[in-house]
Amino acid sequence: MPRPRPRLLSAASRGELAASLAALRHALDLPETYPADAQAEAERAAADVPTDPGEADLADLREIEFLTIDPAGSTDLDQALHLERTATGAILHYAIADVPAFVEPGGTLDAETRRRGQTLYAPDGRIPLHPPVVSEGAASLLPGVDRRAYVWRFELDEGARPVETTLTRAVVRSRAQWSYVDAQRATDAGTAPPSLLAMAWFGAQRAGREHERGGASLNIPEARIEPDGDGYRLELDHGVALEEWNAHVSLLTGMAAADIMLRGRVGILRTMPPADPDDVADFRAQTIALGLPWQDGVAYGDYLRGLDRSPAARAVKEYAAGLFRGAGYVAFDGEVPDETIQAAIGAPYAHTTAPLRRLVDRWVLVICEALANGREVPEWARASLSDVPALMARSSQLAAQLDAGALDRVEAAVLHGREGEVFEAAVLAQRGDGARVQLTDPPVSAKVKGLDAAAGATVLLRLVSASISDGTVTFAGV
């Protein structure tokens, strides 16, 4: 059956939402424009940084038929891939945008990116880490144009295990820009290019390696804010299989980067401590209470991968998210840190595949390329390495505040004017003096005070109020 068309926001609600989102940006002290001196530096770099392999002294890998896979409408393209099956496994080339070529260490653009930390996303527009002339232009791996890139080459065995890994600074040319939905459709129809057709094999094999490591992918569907005319709508996005397969490409690369830096004894890792045994025991008890018991002998990741899309399964994943806590960045130079594992992945790991959108990746790329090719790590990267964890922690906190605040306001706007209506909701978890729930339609999450219902249960709730100005909604049990 076709999905019901979401209700459009009234003109008054659209205006109030725009004002509320603007007030949120002001409260978080988000930058409105890029500083003129940093913008000018970016424009000079975009015009002057060479992409001719001979002039730039880079490898010429333009014959490789790279392609990109991103959400529809993306213009800041960090990664391009080429995957070719062989008699013994596959060859994976993974090109990452050469952002360091466009950012002079110690310059005004460098200083501004350190202040920002990462690209921030909001319904009324993103706040980019780099000026668009770089992030959506000269450094973005757009199709049909020559671009500088750090190219990872993985020789993979039949289990998609890396047998040999190299990292080369090169010039590449992407052949096509795919959205996830279009790429999945072409893959299912068998009409996709060979790189996409090979991704199903790669994804299945890497999921098997994740099982062996004891890793776990927690794929919780999220309410996404989508433009709708002059307003927005909420959609619960479960994604497509290709997104998970593509995520394994990034995970493989991040683990390779961590391995290079640990062997070189300098770098920065993305870490997460293992779950507390008491928390694990509590989680196991919750799965029993929800009627989806985590059986002894079944690996944690395998259990999560086997869950369906039922309300009870959604509640289980809500509890599971509580085990994935304490992620952070650890920089080191000389002494390898005691804790190197990212527990959800089950291996040492580093962020290295999104330098257009995340500050830390610039350091990881530069360090890994030097170590992988037997050269000294650039002094600027080594000298500033210890500053990066705090910069990323600050920007990650800001991103979380913006995400939560914007979603709250859009949810309130979608519900505004429907006070008194009754909605069906699934109970996700008990929270203090009430319960956290998610409406079936629209997919709004809320805390309902005084609601005493078991996680996984379906309840009926009456909307009492929806305030766009501060993003608060109030429900009462029916």
Side-chain angles (χ1 to χ4, degrees), residues 84-91 155-159 201:
E84 180 182 7
R85 293 283 272 128
T86 65
T88 57
I91 301 295
E155 182 179 335
L156 306 173
D157 67 13
E158 191 58 43
W201 165 83

Side-chain angles (χ1 to χ4, degrees), residues 297-384:
V298 176
Y300 176 65
D302 292 344
Y303 170 72
L304 293 178
R305 282 187 286 271
L307 293 174
D308 57 23
R309 295 181 179 180
S310 67
R314 177 69 174 84
V316 167
K317 291 180 180 180
E318 182 81 7
Y319 279 106
L323 300 179
F324 291 81
R325 294 179 298 193
Y329 294 93
V330 177
F332 59 98
D333 191 351
E335 290 294 326
V336 172
D338 293 333
E339 297 294 335
T340 63
I341 301 295
Q342 210 282 12
I345 294 172
Y349 174 71
H351 277 155
T352 190
T353 62
L356 289 173
R357 293 169 284 169
R358 195 169 47 209
L359 182 73
V360 63
D361 301 50
R362 176 153 54 98
W363 272 255
V364 175
L365 282 171
V366 165
I367 292 169
C368 284
E369 194 274 335
L371 293 175
N373 294 288
R375 292 184 287 97
E376 289 292 322
V377 172
E379 180 56 31
W380 73 262
R382 204 157 205 156
S384 57

Side-chain angles (χ1 to χ4, degrees), residues 40-116:
E41 187 177 313
E43 291 173 357
R44 288 193 299 272
D48 296 343
V49 171
T51 55
D52 177 83
E55 182 183 356
D57 192 23
L58 301 173
D60 187 350
L61 299 182
R62 289 176 292 182
E63 78 282 359
I64 299 176
E65 296 186 353
F66 284 103
L67 55 82
T68 60
I69 321 169
D70 293 275
S74 297
T75 52
D76 49 348
L77 309 182
D78 288 289
Q79 314 106 9
L81 66 83
H82 180 264
L83 180 60
E84 180 182 7
R85 293 283 272 128
T86 65
T88 57
I91 301 295
L92 169 65
H93 285 93
Y94 200 38
I96 308 300
D98 187 353
V99 176
F102 296 88
V103 182
E104 180 183 356
T108 55
L109 179 57
D110 182 24
E112 182 62 16
T113 58
R114 295 189 195 202
R115 187 173 78 87
R116 295 187 178 215

